[in-house]
Amino acid sequence: MNTSAFSQFRLRVNINAKIEDIYRAWATPAGLEKWFLRKAEFKDSQGTLRDKDTLLQAGDTYEWYWHGYSDEVVERGKVIVANQKDKFQFTFSLGCPVDISIYKEFGETIVALVESDLPVDDTNIIKHYIGDSRGWIFYLTNLKSVLEGGLYLRNKNENLTDVITA
């Protein structure tokens, strides 16, 4: 098996929203909390906590807290690129970069997500390539729903486990 094919994945979704609104959904703590996280805390390079509505900057670090999980479950990482308009990149599980690009295609606004540098041993292919891509498919669907005025699809009950909306 050619495991290098599992070192990255790319997902795209069309969203009926302005590029600026989609960018803010990714690049502000308040934006991330509207569709993705229970709590998003970012600190600048000096260690100062960012305001919820402030656009994030390259070098910011984060702590993310998930719906459906206690505060002991936290994701930590760093913003790598934040161009303030249509490109956002951050580290995710195992420090792997996640690239977000927002652009127009055939009159539609597209969000493209690429997670790369995934480890390609058998255990990590299952956990990260399959697990992360499955998670991102749901989160991108929730982003689309929220930004298009639809429902918030996430499970917020930490007692309810093993559901696809966690």
Side-chain angles (χ1 to χ4, degrees):
M1 172 168 68
N2 177 9
T3 58
S4 65
F6 295 98
S7 66
Q8 76 171 25
F9 59 84
R10 180 175 186 240
L11 303 168
R12 294 177 355 126
V13 64
N14 63 313
I15 300 178
N16 186 15
K18 296 179 194 170
I19 289 175
E20 302 81 29
D21 294 340
I22 298 169
Y23 184 83
R24 290 191 73 77
W26 283 99
T28 65
L32 288 163
E33 290 173 359
K34 284 183 182 172
W35 65 275
F36 184 41
L37 300 164
R38 175 169 49 93
K39 182 168 67 171
E41 291 186 344
F42 286 82
K43 293 182 180 175
D44 66 20
S45 59
Q46 307 303 311
T48 303
L49 193 63
R50 290 263 186 216
D51 242 16
K52 291 288 186 186
D53 291 315
T54 300
L55 284 173
L56 302 168
Q57 304 287 323
D60 289 355
T61 57
Y62 69 78
E63 289 186 355
W64 288 350
Y65 299 88
W66 306 97
H67 287 293
Y69 294 90
S70 69
D71 281 350
E72 286 77 46
V73 178
V74 60
E75 180 79 30
R76 291 181 176 88
K78 179 171 115 173
V79 176
I80 302 167
V81 174
N83 77 352
Q84 311 304 302
K85 60 180 188 165
D86 59 5
K87 301 236 183 273
F88 191 71
Q89 183 186 63
F90 55 93
T91 61
F92 194 55
S93 58
L94 298 178
C96 298
V98 173
D99 295 291
I100 305 301
S101 298
I102 309 159
Y103 53 90
K104 290 288 194 177
E105 183 176 304
F106 298 112
E108 301 275 341
T109 305
I110 303 294
V111 176
L113 179 149
V114 177
E115 186 169 345
S116 58
D117 297 338
L118 296 167
V120 292
D121 58 277
D122 290 344
T123 301
N124 281 305
I125 285 173
I126 292 169
K127 184 173 183 189
H128 293 282
Y129 182 88
I130 295 172
D132 285 7
S133 63
R134 187 178 83 169
W136 284 122
I137 289 167
F138 171 74
Y139 297 136
L140 290 171
T141 302
N142 196 46
L143 174 64
K144 178 179 177 70
S145 181
V146 168
L147 290 179
E148 291 184 354
L151 298 173
Y152 183 87
L153 305 173
R154 296 287 319 267
N155 166 46
K156 292 184 176 182
N157 183 346
E158 77 177 66
N159 297 310
L160 182 62
T161 61
D162 198 27
V163 294
I164 63 168
T165 55

